[in-house]
Amino acid sequence: MQKCDSLVRSVCMLFLIGVMPLIGLAQDSDLKPVTNKYAIKNATIVQAPGKTIQNGTILIENGIIKAVGSSLAIPADAWVVDADSMFVYAGFISGLSNIGVEKPKEEEQKDDRKLTGNPTYKRAGITPGSSAREMLKPNDKSVEDFRKLGFTASHSVPHNGMLPGTGTIILLGGEDGESMVVKDQTSMFSQLSGAGGVYPNTVIGVMAKYRDLYRKTSQARDYENKYNSNPNGMERPATDATLQALYPVVSKQMTVAFKAEGVKDIMRVIALQKDLGFKMMLGEVKQGWDAIPTIKPTGAPVFLSLDLPEWKQEEEKNKEDKEEEGDEKSEEKEPTESELEEKALKERQNVMIKNYYTQPGKFRSNGIKFGFSTMEVKSKDFKTNLLKVIENGLTQDQALAALTTEPASILGVSSQMGTIEAGKMANLIVSDTAYFTKDANVRFVFVDGVKYEYEAKKKKKSNGDEAVDASGVWNYTTETPQGNGSGVITIKGTPDDYSGTITVSFNGSTNEIENVVIDGNNVSFSFKLNMGEEITVDISMDIDGDTFEGTLSVAAFGSFPMEGSREPNK
């Protein structure tokens, strides 16, 4: 059972399907789990990259892995998950992200021209005393989106500014912000971002400001240490909370996590580090392949971005095959100069894009320690991009390491997470087949021993190779043992780029649909409904002309039949 308020969620589900809420139940909703013990049995357990147990069992109690093995006695009071044919992995760790961290509202800035060259620290984006811990939201959409992909922990940092504050290692679950925290003050997050409208508002200005801050912090710390040692005859040191927040950086007790996407930013950050001497890790690295010879001597760990440009390898291959086949059948016309230039440009673009996908393999072959960051990758693109990276030089074990053991080591939490071993947190992924395959579905995620269950997305019958036209306004009804609900689904665009909305009957609210997938005559999508906590609802529609049959599903409560029809075009 989940620690979250399951009965309130049940009430929310009844609302969703158009039934009047059971108000009395909501008042008596502080229910405890039936048991805090779980047994995952008959699973292929990948304890760590390259270390697997067949037909194994994992025993969990009070959020801790109590035992792992192939012949374990299961306690009578344990909740059993029969994972026959399923695979279990250690929960993924995002090495650098904003998961769970509330983005501050943009304030209207009215700058005094006299102060634009010397603004307040806050206006300049310099708030090292702030912490991601203070900004955590357990019900933030990003928490659920990445948890259902298999992420159970994250090194989360604040948004915005050149020095937004310190990072916190969090769990992707918990009743409140404090219950999410595993390790605070993990890093000082930094980026080469100007303040806009005031100094420093250029990369060069930001670098100069870093040097100035570092010098002032060093002086202030040294003077304060001398005063504390023997204050006799010394003037009391001035108090500056901003500089004091940077003392651990100057003392090399705290690592600076620098966001550096491109090769220029990487080189600039490394130059700063050489000048000032702080401990460093590089994050959200997108174009780092040419900087490998410079990064490697620093010994700095790296978190590579999985926000990658689209690369249609299969389409390119098929196009080449057809061109070769055409050459054999007929004489090729001499291409024009503009056609040759266009072809050369596309080839250069293809080589450039390929570098993004081969980059992890290059870092690995050069012995640079790395994990993955998720600051900018959309959750819907994560799995696709990960599999393409594996197709281009990274092995499955290496990918698993970059998501588990490597970030755990870099972030100093290897004793708590990253592998499946007795005594560690019960942070686990259970997928219905090997995770690093296209059709794998995450069925369960355990975060600190709390179970989250997800429906498998089953493939529907295909209507040949042609995608169905789902655009239009669809009136739907859904049927449950408690009663019927209804609403309207509006789908716009083309099969390659559908968007739209769905209304729910209990209050007529309109919600954006997302993650639209077309498979022949089947259209599936999801939407978020906020009912005190955010609920993910999955819709699957099998379309036949202007009618459909399908299901409405919420992972914790099961699936309900639905049907509908498309309104005629006016």
Side-chain angles (χ1 to χ4, degrees), residues 103-165:
K103 191 171 185 178
K105 295 179 181 178
E106 291 188 11
E107 300 177 5
E108 185 179 352
Q109 304 292 347
K110 295 181 180 180
D111 295 318
D112 184 340
R113 290 190 178 183
K114 295 179 181 179
L115 299 177
T116 54
N118 188 29
T120 63
Y121 282 135
K122 183 177 180 181
R123 177 66 184 90
I126 301 169
T127 55
S130 297
S131 170
R133 180 176 191 159
E134 304 161 354
M135 310 168 192
L136 293 175
K137 289 183 63 181
N139 61 348
D140 190 87
K141 181 176 182 293
S142 59
V143 174
E144 170 64 16
D145 285 349
F146 279 93
R147 183 173 61 218
K148 67 185 180 183
L149 291 169
F151 283 89
T152 58
S154 168
H155 172 207
S156 292
V157 297
H159 298 265
N160 303 340
M162 62 175 278
L163 274 167

Side-chain angles (χ1 to χ4, degrees), residues 54 120 191 264 296-297 307 361 363 380 383 407 431 500 516 548:
Q54 300 293 338
T120 63
Q191 48 192 353
K264 287 185 178 179
K296 187 174 181 178
D307 179 30
F363 271 75
K380 68 181 182 66
K383 183 71 177 287
S431 62
V516 182
F548 79 85

Side-chain angles (χ1 to χ4, degrees), residues 241-307:
T242 298
L243 297 184
Q244 288 175 331
L246 290 169
Y247 284 1
V249 172
V250 172
S251 302
K252 299 181 177 62
Q253 296 172 336
M254 181 182 288
T255 300
V256 179
F258 243 113
K259 180 182 178 183
E261 296 185 7
V263 64
K264 287 185 178 179
D265 281 353
I266 293 169
M267 304 301 272
R268 286 164 176 158
V269 170
I270 291 176
L272 267 181
Q273 190 274 334
K274 286 182 178 178
D275 288 349
L276 304 178
F278 52 81
K279 291 174 65 178
M280 174 185 69
M281 63 176 73
L282 297 170
E284 198 59 18
V285 172
K286 293 183 179 179
Q287 301 173 1
W289 51 87
D290 287 335
I292 286 175
T294 306
I295 295 172
K296 187 174 181 178
T298 70
V302 176
F303 290 113
L304 300 176
S305 176
L306 278 171
D307 179 30

